[in-house]
Amino acid sequence: MLLNCYGEARRHISILPGEVAGGFTATAHLTGLGHRRIGFINGEPWMDASIDRLKGYRQALATADIAFDETLVRSGDWLPLTGYHHARDLLSTDNPPTAIFCGNDLMALGALEAANEMGIKVPVELSVMGYDDQELARYTHPRLSTLVLPNYEMGQRATEMLIDMVAHHKQFRPMTVKIDGPLVVRETTASPRLR
């Protein structure tokens, strides 16, 4: 059994986070608040998590009848400094986004710092959404809205499946199990202010 990874041949049971659903849920939260221009600071573009979170972002935009605008998407490296630089870049455009969804909480931390330095009030003038629900998300000012990376739930599901296989002498069959994480709404997201 593989946890938060998979083998190339797909010959094992793999327990993975539902990254497409996570990207969708985070973006749909922002569109549900009324945001139409949503920037996305993603992780490294070759990683499965980044690819799937981008798919979810695009699906949520399509569901809200918002055209995908590639000029609002940046590829990062999961670190605060990248979030900071990409947020400054997005917020300096002629038609800046009213919300930024970051592929993890660390890049969202950088985006919050960029907004603060630029005198942009979060969430009054800009909503910022993170991903992972790392411990730091509870201690940002304002506290970060984010989506939970369901590490505990993935481990619990893997343990339940292993116990079931051993206790009942079951043969495993290769499968991929996706576990979705819940949305955690805190203080960095709100409806866009009329301009």
Side-chain angles (χ1 to χ4, degrees), residues 15-191:
I15 313 289
L16 300 167
E19 304 285 15
V20 175
F24 181 94
T25 299
T27 307
H29 169 63
L30 297 170
T31 62
L33 290 170
H35 293 280
R36 306 282 301 167
R37 288 191 57 77
I38 302 169
F40 181 35
I41 302 173
N42 202 0
E44 295 165 297
W46 58 269
M47 295 183 73
D48 286 349
S50 300
I51 293 165
D52 287 349
R53 290 175 193 179
L54 177 61
K55 283 180 190 172
Y57 165 81
R58 292 184 71 153
Q59 287 175 6
L61 292 178
T63 299
D65 202 25
I66 300 170
F68 173 70
D69 182 351
E70 65 183 20
T71 66
L72 292 174
V73 177
R74 303 288 186 276
S75 292
D77 61 4
W78 310 111
L79 298 175
L81 188 60
T82 303
Y84 170 84
H85 287 303
H86 284 322
R88 283 194 70 95
D89 182 46
L90 286 166
L91 295 170
S92 297
T93 61
D94 291 337
N95 188 12
T98 61
I100 297 176
F101 166 35
C102 296
N104 75 346
D105 293 340
L106 291 176
M107 292 190 298
L109 188 66
L112 288 171
E113 181 62 23
N116 183 53
E117 280 189 10
M118 298 174 78
I120 298 169
K121 293 179 179 65
V122 174
V124 176
E125 298 171 297
L126 174 73
S127 285
V128 176
M129 182 78 200
Y131 198 109
D132 290 341
D133 194 31
Q134 294 182 14
E135 188 70 19
L136 66 89
R138 295 167 184 85
Y139 301 105
T140 60
H141 296 286
R143 294 180 312 136
L144 184 64
S145 293
T146 186
L147 192 110
V148 175
L149 184 64
N151 292 315
Y152 179 85
E153 292 80 3
M154 288 189 299
Q156 181 179 18
R157 183 67 183 272
T159 303
E160 289 168 354
M161 291 177 76
L162 285 171
I163 291 170
D164 188 47
M165 287 166 50
V166 171
H168 298 103
H169 306 289
K170 290 184 176 178
Q171 293 291 325
F172 79 88
R173 60 178 174 56
M175 70 174 84
T176 300
V177 177
K178 300 274 181 113
I179 307 292
D180 296 339
L183 181 70
V184 180
V185 179
R186 293 193 178 101
E187 299 162 355
T188 58
T189 52
S191 296

